[in-house]
Amino acid sequence: MTSFRIGEAATLLGVSADTVRRWVDAGRLAAGRDEHGHRVIDGVDLAGFARAQAADPDAGAEFSSARNRLRGIVVDVRKDTVMAQVDIQAGPFRVVSLMSREAVDELDLRVGSVAVAVIKSTTVVVERAAPARGRAGG
C-alpha cells in the first residue's frame, strides 16, 4: 500500500507541511505512524482528501464539457503582431497557452491577472512516478 510522509503529501497538495500537519491535528486528514514514529498518510485517503478539496475554479464550468480547469495567476504575457504566449502558474503547475494576440487583448490578460486554464484534449499521457524511497506498494 502506498503511503506518504507529511512533506510528500504537502508537495502533492501544493501546500506547506505545516498546513498538512494542522489538517491532521484537526482530524480533517487521517494519518498513522510508521515504524519510526513518523506520521504517514495512506495514498487512498490522500487521494480522497485531495478530491474533496478541489473547488470548482469557475462557476461557468457547468456550461462546458471541459473538466480540466486550473485556476491560477498570469505570470508572463508575450505578444507579437499576430500571436501571444500566456504563462499561468496554477499552484505548482505552469501552464503555457499559445493564442491569438486578439484573444489576449479581448480577455485583457496581463501579468497579475487571475485566469483559468481550460484543458480539453483527446490525448492525455499519464506517467507513473517512481516510488518515493521504496515505500510504494501495490
Side-chain angles (χ1 to χ4, degrees), residues 37-115:
H38 298 228
R39 287 194 266 193
V40 292
I41 301 165
D42 177 75
V44 173
D45 291 340
L46 184 61
F49 182 82
R51 185 175 180 103
Q53 294 303 303
D56 185 2
D58 182 15
E62 65 188 67
F63 302 111
S64 174
S65 64
R67 296 294 176 251
N68 303 308
R69 306 172 73 80
L70 302 173
R71 183 180 176 95
I73 186 166
V74 176
V75 295
D76 192 25
V77 177
R78 296 183 206 162
K79 298 190 274 187
D80 67 16
T81 56
V82 177
M83 296 299 293
Q85 175 180 316
V86 177
D87 293 23
I88 299 171
Q89 193 67 39
F93 305 106
R94 176 177 172 243
V95 179
V96 178
S97 178
L98 302 176
M99 63 184 79
S100 70
R101 179 189 177 116
E102 179 182 13
V104 170
D105 291 341
E106 285 177 4
L107 292 170
D108 194 26
L109 294 175
R110 304 170 191 227
V111 171
S113 300
V114 175

